[in-house]
Amino acid sequence: MRPTAEVTRISDGRRWLMLALGVFAQTSSSIFIHGTPFLLPALTARGDSLFAAGALVALPTVGLVCTLIAWGYVVDRIGERIVLVAGTALMFVAGVAAALVDNPIAFGALLFLGGVGAASSNGASGRVIVGWFPPDRRGLAMGIRQTAQPLGVGLAALSIPWVAAHHGIPAALLVPALMAGVAAVGCLAGIVDPPRPPAKSADRANPYRGDSTLWRIHAVSILLVFPQATLWTFALLWLHRDLGWSLAAAGALMTVTQFLGAAGRIGAGAWSDRVGSRLGPLRQVAVAAVVVMAALTVTAWTGWWWLAVPLMVAASVISVSDNGLAFTAVAEIAGPFWSGRGLGVQNTGQNLAIAAVPPVFGLLITATGFSAAFAVAAIAAAAAIPLVPRAGGK
């Protein structure tokens, strides 16, 4: 997107404020979506099977994937500000209600509804960044924006198990709900929809027709999310059950890995700005993910815990570094009139995979152990490497 006169009237400070609001809104969404797997110890402790507990904690992701493309369509039609405010407000209401109900069916339905609200920030805050930042700073800005996901997981690892243990499972949902309420107020006051250039017929053309670039990026992101989701969902349980760590110690390490992952996303974004490409770094991150997940598989299987734990930390960082690269590439290639839907498709594919990991990999771990789950994640990452496009824009 070329800067317009209106863009030049927005100060750098205002751009970074909107970036901060987008990060905060997405962080609350990330805690709601990806924090619920940290309820697994509490759910299994009360007698739920790993499969049943996994299915329950996947409900926010199910709500998210059912509405990502719809939210993206609304973003393309009416802009980002309204979508961000409405979605975070819905997440606030659903989370507070979940903390107040006793009926398990109602609790599950509210988890689903919270996921619907959480979906709003995935495409909307990304469009704000792509719309307001110039190309030579967009990779860095989007990398910062994408830190919201690992930061949310890290904060969830630190808070959700403790709140669930001391105040009950429903009360743990107040953590992301209250954050979402603050985000709704902040976005209402601080977000400005980015301007769009005058529309030409070529700008409104479907970028998915006659070109496989976007579809290939979506496929790559789906495959690369398996290592990420596997570690987010089961690493804490692996540390607790197989290594004998306390939940507090395991949660603290998971928090550290997520903060390191956030730094990795910023670094990957800055790297892509420097080399002038999103896809080249994406390919190299995929290769690194295969190597480290394969090494983690071997060390977990052999019981070399002294090496397996550092590899788990490294894998947690590498496996999240691709998200900002792919996200930026999709937004840039799709253009200002399709980026909302493009980002919706991008996030739908990834979150469908994330939703499948808790119950499916839970069965796999129950039958064969954690090392088998790490191996399957490594195979998925290996399948992504040849799919990364070698052309298709920065």
Side-chain angles (χ1 to χ4, degrees):
M1 177 185 297
R2 295 180 179 178
T4 65
E6 186 175 351
V7 174
T8 61
R9 289 199 296 268
I10 293 293
S11 67
D12 279 346
R14 187 62 183 271
R15 289 190 180 96
W16 290 105
L17 173 62
M18 288 190 283
L19 172 59
L21 289 170
V23 169
F24 190 81
Q26 183 65 24
T27 299
S28 65
S29 169
S30 180
I31 296 178
F32 202 106
I33 297 297
H34 304 297
T36 48
F38 293 114
L39 294 172
L40 283 174
L43 290 168
T44 54
R46 76 179 187 184
D48 292 11
S49 69
L50 190 55
F51 173 78
L56 181 64
V57 301
L59 282 172
T61 303
V62 175
L64 179 138
V65 298
C66 287
T67 53
L68 277 168
I69 297 176
W71 280 117
Y73 177 80
V74 177
V75 166
D76 288 335
R77 296 288 294 178
I78 67 173
E80 291 76 12
R81 180 171 176 267
I82 294 175
V83 168
L84 280 170
V85 173
T88 50
L90 177 60
M91 188 165 47
F92 167 73
V93 171
V96 170
L100 299 176
V101 300
D102 294 323
N103 186 289
I105 296 177
F107 182 70
L110 288 165
L111 290 181
F112 176 88
L113 188 61
V116 171
S120 65
S121 63
N122 283 264
S125 59
R127 270 284 298 122
V128 168
I129 305 313
V130 172
W132 283 121
F133 281 83
D136 61 347
R137 287 193 291 171
R138 195 176 291 156
L140 173 62
M142 191 68 81
I144 293 172
R145 184 266 184 193
Q146 289 295 92
T147 64
Q149 197 174 42
L151 285 176
V153 175
L155 292 172
L158 194 63
S159 60
I160 297 295
W162 186 90
V163 174
H166 290 80
H167 301 287
I169 294 171
L173 271 297
L174 285 176
V175 175
L178 294 177
M179 286 184 64
V182 174
V185 175
C187 290
L188 179 65
I191 293 293
V192 177
D193 285 332
R196 303 183 189 192
K200 301 176 183 178
S201 59
D203 294 328
R204 295 191 180 275
N206 188 338
Y208 289 93
R209 291 178 181 170
D211 191 339
S212 65
T213 300
L214 286 174
W215 289 119
R216 291 178 64 179
I217 295 172
H218 295 328
V220 168
S221 296
I222 290 170
L223 291 167
L224 290 180
V225 87
F226 279 98
Q228 180 186 132
T230 301
L231 293 171
W232 281 356
T233 305
F234 295 109
L236 184 144
L237 200 61
W238 171 64
L239 292 168
H240 179 58
R241 285 190 177 181
D242 281 19
L243 277 66
W245 288 35
S246 69
L247 285 176
L253 180 61
M254 290 300 296
T255 301
V256 170
T257 64
Q258 295 307 315
F259 290 157
L260 292 174
R265 288 189 175 189
I266 295 173
W271 174 24
S272 74
D273 284 339
R274 186 170 60 252
V275 301
S277 171
R278 318 299 177 197
L279 300 179
L282 179 62
R283 183 179 298 105
Q284 295 181 51
V285 169
V287 172
V290 174
V291 173
V292 73
M293 287 303 298
L296 177 59
T297 299
V298 173
T299 54
W301 179 64
T302 56
W304 297 344
W305 310 123
W306 56 273
L307 185 56
V309 172
L311 283 170
M312 186 276 291
V313 174
S316 297
V317 174
I318 293 170
S319 66
V320 302
S321 298
D322 65 284
N323 288 60
L325 300 171
F327 205 81
T328 309
V330 168
E332 291 178 332
I333 295 168
F337 298 98
W338 271 84
S339 61
R341 280 162 285 186
L343 295 174
V345 173
Q346 170 78 3
N347 283 292
T348 297
Q350 285 188 302
N351 284 284
L352 280 172
I354 291 172
V357 164
V360 174
F361 278 51
L363 288 175
L364 178 64
I365 290 168
T366 300
T368 60
F370 287 97
S371 59
F374 299 151
V376 172
I379 293 170
I385 296 172
L387 292 176
V388 179
R390 293 192 176 274
K394 294 183 179 181

